[in-house]
Amino acid sequence: MSTPREDEALKRSGTPGEAAGADLAGRLAEAESRLAAMLAERHRTADRVRRLQSLTSGLLRALTPAQVAEVVVREGLPAVQAEAGALVVVSWEDRKVRLVDARGFPEARVEGWREVDLDLDTPITMSIRAGAPVWIPDAATRERSYPELARHYPEPMYASWAVLPLSVRDRPLGALAVCFSTPGDRPEEERTFMMLIAQQCAQALERARLYDAERRARVSAEFAERRVAFLAEASAGLAASLDHRATLSNVAQLIVPHFADWVVLRAGRPGGAADIVVTTHRDAALGDRLQRWEESHAPVRGDGSAAAAARFEGRSELVAEMSAEDAEREARDAEQLDLLLALETRSRLTVPVRVRNQVFGAIVFGAGTGRRYTPTDIALAEELAARIGQATENAALYEDALAASQSKSNFLAVMSHELRTPLNAILGYADLIMMGVPEPVGQRTQHQVERVRASAVRLLRLVEEVLSFARLEANADVIRAEAVPIADLIGDTQSLLEPIASAKGLSLSFDAEDPALILHTDGWKLRHILSNLVSNAVKFTDRGSVVVRVRADGAWVTFDVIDTGIGIQSEHFERIFDPFWQVEQSATRRFDGSGLGLGVARALAQLLGGDITVWSTPGKGTTFRVRIPIEHPAAATSRSA
């Protein structure tokens, strides 16, 4: 039996079954609590995995730092249950930290973070420099560790902070800062997750950097390619003509619209003459108006205009953004203001035109809406100006050469005429003396007169060569087509040159396949050609013969002048046709002559529609072939008329 005290204790504790039930209920409640915690953690983990996948997917599509920052603050901050965050990048060249994006902060505060010196001691800058995360669990830690920051922002907006460095291969790129409304250290798994997000962000920033570098390189290569193509096309335009104005006009048409909406090219000329001015505008009417203005209003040294600075000081000027107010300040008068406003210029570039460090022109490029000049365009414009300067100088040199050549031709023509008059008189008086007028002379005197006459004839032939050369150079020779029988042509040439050949003991013969052939060409010029070639063959042949063969070949006729003389080296085949050039250039050369005969002969042959070719074997002889049409086009034209 139990005592009364035991009965009382038993009554208070209940039955053994009831105690066991209470214990089981307690364990069940604890299990349910743990299960709920596990489910909650599983849910958080699943949410983090989902957000990490979404973050990774978004970062893979991000092509710029701004896009990376947008994905991180949109997906990364909720994943770590942060209320605010900021992404910054570092520039090691100037040691600056620049804000890319921020969420959860007042705009006024964000403005102060746009650019910060890397050397300041802030959580973000210290994390970047050390390459390690910074954890700030509460305001007290923040005030203690960063007193300068606490002084600037005495009332923090958030209770705890974390700064995560963004690095790729130990190279810091920036940092990710996240803020929480609750204080305390972040659990280890949260820290690990945040570091994983930072790693993904750093890799995305590196991809964005590489993509940007590749894009810039591609754009640079495309720009360089377009620049080279533009300059090549401009060079072709510059080389198309040797006329000053035509040269500038060709380039102006290329510049507009490829590089400008309007352009003014101003280039000086030798002798201090007024500049040549060429203008072009997309609108032809405005282009004419601009042309009239520029022709009547040349820039004046020191007038303050960009054109004057380029023209007289050699200074380039870029106005990237130009407004109506700028036009009002620059205008000399109401007329120019009206023109400037009509041009609607939004950007302008002015460069000097130089040749060998001497400025003698200027180019003004104007751009309207949709185009802005940059410092890069200055280099392109100056390169174009240099090429324009060189082309313009070439045109000026060409004009000078033409003028000099014309002066020389005029001088030769005048002198030849002046020399021919007294020579004809000498020949006339020599013939009279030979005929015994006014009285017969002795044998010795007659012999001396013959020598005078021979020298006069030789000099007269030289004068005729100079006259022919002068006419050919001046393009003043014309074709006088006529019927030319081959038999007469051969007879005239033989009677003229056979005495010279006989005097040297040479045989001169003519072989015509068809002696009855009649040519329709300029007979005087053809006789001149054959005379020059045959006399040249006789001069350079000491023994043997000179043969002239004439053959018809369809619509063409060929004259082969074949000698057995000293021959010509192959490297001289073309040089022998140059005016005044001879194989022997010394003053003591064995063979006399002006060096004009072969050059005049070829020029006349080309004027007749044909040419002269040569082949030779040194020491054995030379062959000159003249090939001309049997009927010159001028002859056909005259018959049809």
Side-chain angles (χ1 to χ4, degrees):
M1 292 187 57
S2 61
T3 63
R5 182 177 294 180
E6 290 173 341
D7 291 340
E8 185 63 27
L10 184 60
K11 182 187 280 189
R12 287 198 304 269
S13 63
T15 64
E18 291 175 344
D23 182 56
L24 180 59
R27 284 189 298 211
L28 284 173
E30 183 181 351
E32 288 177 356
S33 177
R34 288 200 302 270
L35 179 60
M38 290 175 60
L39 289 174
E41 181 61 28
R42 182 178 179 184
H43 177 74
R44 285 195 298 272
T45 302
D47 183 64
R48 286 175 180 171
V49 171
R50 180 183 62 78
R51 289 187 178 276
L52 184 61
Q53 290 175 340
S54 179
L55 175 71
T56 303
S57 177
L59 290 176
L60 288 174
R61 294 192 298 271
L63 299 178
T64 66
Q67 292 174 348
V68 171
E70 182 182 358
V71 173
V72 169
V73 297
R74 185 182 69 239
E75 302 291 345
L77 295 183
V80 297
Q81 298 179 342
E83 282 74 24
L87 179 68
V88 299
V89 293
V90 62
S91 171
W92 292 98
E93 288 78 10
D94 56 2
R95 297 188 67 81
K96 297 288 185 182
V97 175
R98 295 181 173 89
L99 180 67
V100 180
D101 197 2
R103 299 290 173 88
F105 302 101
E107 186 63 29
R109 181 167 293 190
V110 171
E111 283 300 320
W113 304 340
R114 292 292 179 190
E115 185 176 282
V116 178
D117 289 337
L118 179 62
D119 297 320
L120 292 177
D121 288 338
T122 68
I124 289 178
T125 55
M126 294 176 70
S127 175
I128 293 174
R129 295 201 304 265
V134 173
W135 310 101
I136 307 175
D138 49 45
T141 303
R142 171 178 173 271
E143 186 173 353
R144 183 174 61 253
S145 301
Y146 308 98
E148 190 66 20
L149 182 64
R151 187 175 65 83
H152 278 87
Y153 303 105
E155 296 184 4
M157 294 181 58
Y158 297 98
S160 59
W161 303 263
V163 181
L164 311 167
L166 306 176
S167 301
V168 174
R169 294 184 293 276
D170 296 328
R171 184 168 61 87
L173 304 178
L176 173 64
V178 292
C179 304
F180 304 92
S181 58
T182 57
D185 288 324
R186 312 318 296 177
E188 187 62 31
E189 62 273 14
E190 284 190 19
R191 292 191 178 193
T192 302
F193 185 66
M194 283 190 283
M195 292 297 294
L196 181 59
I197 289 177
Q199 183 180 1
Q200 295 274 5
C201 180
Q203 292 173 350
L205 282 176
E206 178 68 1
R207 284 195 300 272
R209 185 189 68 80
L210 293 175
Y211 173 79
D212 184 64
E214 180 184 356
R215 182 185 62 81
R216 289 177 181 272
R218 186 168 59 251
V219 169
S220 178
E222 291 174 355
F223 174 77
E225 184 177 354
R226 289 196 301 271
R227 172 177 172 171
V228 169
F230 174 73
L231 290 175
E233 194 172 353
S235 297
L238 291 168
S241 174
L242 284 171
D243 176 75
H244 275 72
R245 186 170 293 277
T247 296
L248 296 180
S249 181
N250 288 339
V251 178
Q253 296 297 328
L254 175 64
I255 293 172
V256 178
H258 294 305
F259 189 66
D261 295 312
W262 60 266
V263 66
V264 176
L265 288 85
R266 184 177 292 275
R269 289 185 289 185
D275 289 350
I276 294 176
V277 181
V278 173
T279 67
T280 302
H281 193 285
R282 285 177 177 270
D283 184 333
L286 268 177
D288 293 340
R289 186 176 169 188
L290 183 61
Q291 180 75 33
R292 290 193 297 272
W293 167 267
E294 291 293 336
E295 286 180 345
S296 58
H297 295 80
V300 179
R301 185 185 298 272
D303 66 8
S305 67
R311 179 68 177 87
F312 302 109
E313 302 173 27
R315 180 157 43 90
S316 299
E317 180 183 280
L318 168 65
V319 181
E321 296 286 343
M322 193 170 181
S323 64
E325 290 74 16
D326 295 326
E328 291 177 1
R329 283 192 298 270
E330 290 188 7
R332 301 180 187 177
D333 50 33
E335 182 185 357
Q336 186 181 15
L337 176 60
D338 186 53
L339 175 60
L340 292 177
L341 294 177
L343 293 175
E344 295 183 342
T345 305
R346 297 293 176 265
S347 189
R348 189 183 65 199
L349 178 59
T350 309
V351 297
V353 177
R354 286 189 176 91
V355 174
R356 295 190 298 273
N357 295 323
Q358 181 181 359
V359 179
F360 68 99
I363 311 177
V364 184
F365 305 88
T369 304
R371 191 196 303 266
R372 292 293 181 274
Y373 292 123
T374 66
T376 305
D377 293 317
I378 296 178
L380 176 59
E382 289 180 343
E383 176 65 23
L384 178 62
R387 298 190 184 203
I388 290 174
Q390 189 60 57
T392 305
E393 186 189 41
N394 291 343
L397 292 174
Y398 176 71
E399 290 181 0
D400 291 344
L402 285 181
S405 178
Q406 185 62 44
S407 298
K408 177 197 68 178
S409 298
N410 293 339
F411 172 77
L412 290 176
V414 170
M415 290 304 299
S416 297
H417 278 294
E418 293 298 323
L419 289 171
R420 191 164 56 173
T421 300
L423 282 173
N424 284 327
I426 292 172
L427 287 171
Y429 283 114
D431 288 340
L432 289 174
I433 294 173
M434 295 286 292
M435 290 186 296
V437 178
E439 58 186 26
V441 296
Q443 189 70 27
R444 290 184 59 187
T445 302
Q446 206 170 39
H447 177 67
Q448 290 171 346
V449 172
E450 285 179 355
R451 295 182 66 179
V452 170
R453 189 180 188 285
S455 296
V457 168
R458 178 179 166 190
L459 189 56
L460 187 61
R461 284 183 57 82
L462 177 60
V463 170
E464 291 292 342
E465 289 294 342
V466 172
L467 271 174
S468 297
F469 174 72
R471 285 195 300 269
L472 289 168
E473 272 215 325
N475 293 320
D477 230 332
V478 294
I479 299 296
R480 294 179 175 84
E482 59 181 346
V484 182
I486 286 292
D488 292 352
L489 181 68
I490 290 175
D492 293 344
T493 306
Q494 190 166 14
S495 62
L496 178 66
L497 295 172
E498 193 166 41
I500 302 174
S502 298
K504 292 188 67 175
L506 301 175
S507 167
L508 174 61
S509 61
F510 290 80
D511 176 16
E513 185 180 61
D514 181 7
L517 178 66
I518 296 179
L519 309 181
H520 296 277
T521 186
D522 191 317
W524 183 91
K525 290 179 175 57
L526 185 54
R527 288 180 178 85
H528 198 152
I529 293 169
L530 287 180
S531 173
N532 281 8
L533 293 180
V534 173
S535 62
N536 184 78
V538 170
K539 180 168 66 173
F540 290 102
T541 302
D542 293 330
R543 67 176 70 89
S545 64
V546 176
V547 178
V548 180
R549 292 177 181 161
V550 186
R551 298 286 185 272
D553 180 16
W556 297 81
V557 62
T558 60
F559 299 83
D560 288 341
V561 180
I562 309 164
D563 66 53
T564 57
I566 61 175
I568 305 168
Q569 298 288 342
S570 59
E571 63 266 23
H572 297 149
F573 281 179
E574 287 301 315
R575 294 297 306 278
I576 59 176
F577 294 103
D578 291 344
F580 306 108
W581 191 91
Q582 294 182 335
V583 174
E584 291 185 344
Q585 297 293 311
S586 66
T588 58
R589 61 179 184 264
R590 293 172 296 167
F591 303 99
D592 58 7
S594 64
L596 284 175
L598 293 179
V600 169
R602 171 174 263 188
L604 290 174
Q606 292 171 345
L607 198 61
L608 295 180
D611 202 356
I612 297 179
T613 53
V614 60
W615 59 94
S616 177
T617 302
K620 294 187 177 181
T622 302
T623 298
F624 284 92
R625 170 166 292 178
V626 183
R627 189 170 187 265
I628 62 170
I630 292 177
E631 183 170 355
H632 192 277
T637 303
S638 62
R639 282 204 305 272
S640 63

